[in-house]
Amino acid sequence: MTIALSTTLTDTDFETAVTATKAALSEQGFGVLTEIDMQATLKAKLGTDMEKYLILGACNPTLAHRAVGIVREIGLLLPCNVVVRADTTAGSVIVEAMNPDLIVQVTGEPALSDVAAEATTKLQAALDTLGSRDAVRS
């Protein structure tokens, strides 16, 4: 099992990729609850430089409600993290979403399989939307 669902965007800048990612997630019923700017945070806290790297905490309320109803502790694994990061070696932007099947594997709770499958379908659709906007799918 892979840790992420992923697509690589070419011919776009980072800010455009972030905006497009948020729109694609919204189209699939996900809201972005949090944003962590890793580049700015690590620069401010450690004085280190890194490429543009944004973690979006995406949540689909219906799916989250279903998952919490099955395993209360599942909130520890929510929201679904989506990373938008610059690939400085290729001049592209990579968008990665946490593979929802991980919640089934981590908890060992088979009742979460349907929720994970639906989340996977929705996240993959969002990535595919980005991929159809002049991207190379990885």
Side-chain angles (χ1 to χ4, degrees), residues 18 26 42 78 92 98 103 134:
V18 169
S26 179
L42 294 179
L78 298 176
S92 57
M98 182 190 81
I103 67 170
D134 195 24

Side-chain angles (χ1 to χ4, degrees), residues 64-76:
H65 180 256
R66 285 174 48 204
V68 169
I70 297 167
V71 176
R72 283 291 195 227
E73 296 87 1
I74 204 68
L76 295 166

Side-chain angles (χ1 to χ4, degrees), residues 18-40:
V18 169
T19 300
T21 299
K22 289 178 182 179
L25 289 168
S26 179
E27 290 168 9
Q28 294 300 320
F30 289 88
V32 175
L33 304 176
T34 61
E35 291 185 28
I36 301 170
D37 183 337
M38 290 291 290
Q39 182 186 45

Side-chain angles (χ1 to χ4, degrees), residues 3-126:
I3 191 170
L5 310 174
S6 180
T7 192
T8 300
L9 308 178
T10 58
D11 298 327
T12 191
D13 61 75
F14 186 81
E15 289 72 24
T16 301
V18 169
T19 300
T21 299
K22 289 178 182 179
L25 289 168
S26 179
E27 290 168 9
Q28 294 300 320
F30 289 88
V32 175
L33 304 176
T34 61
E35 291 185 28
I36 301 170
D37 183 337
M38 290 291 290
Q39 182 186 45
T41 299
L42 294 179
K43 183 66 172 178
K45 301 292 182 182
L46 302 176
T48 60
D49 293 316
M50 71 175 295
E51 71 277 7
K52 292 181 180 183
Y53 193 116
L54 186 67
I55 302 170
L56 304 174
C59 180
N60 180 302
T62 302
L63 295 175
H65 180 256
R66 285 174 48 204
V68 169
I70 297 167
V71 176
R72 283 291 195 227
E73 296 87 1
I74 204 68
L76 295 166
L77 300 174
L78 298 176
C80 295
N81 283 331
V82 177
V83 171
V84 182
R85 62 185 175 92
D87 182 351
T88 57
T89 60
S92 57
V93 179
I94 299 169
V95 181
E96 300 165 311
M98 182 190 81
N99 183 342
D101 287 335
L102 290 172
I103 67 170
V104 179
Q105 184 177 9
V106 167
T107 64
E109 178 56 64
L112 288 170
S113 294
D114 289 343
V115 176
E118 189 172 341
T120 299
T121 297
K122 291 179 178 296
L123 288 168
Q124 189 63 63

Side-chain angles (χ1 to χ4, degrees), residues 123-134:
L123 288 168
Q124 189 63 63
L127 293 174
D128 290 347
T129 298
L130 292 171
S132 67
R133 294 176 183 162
D134 195 24

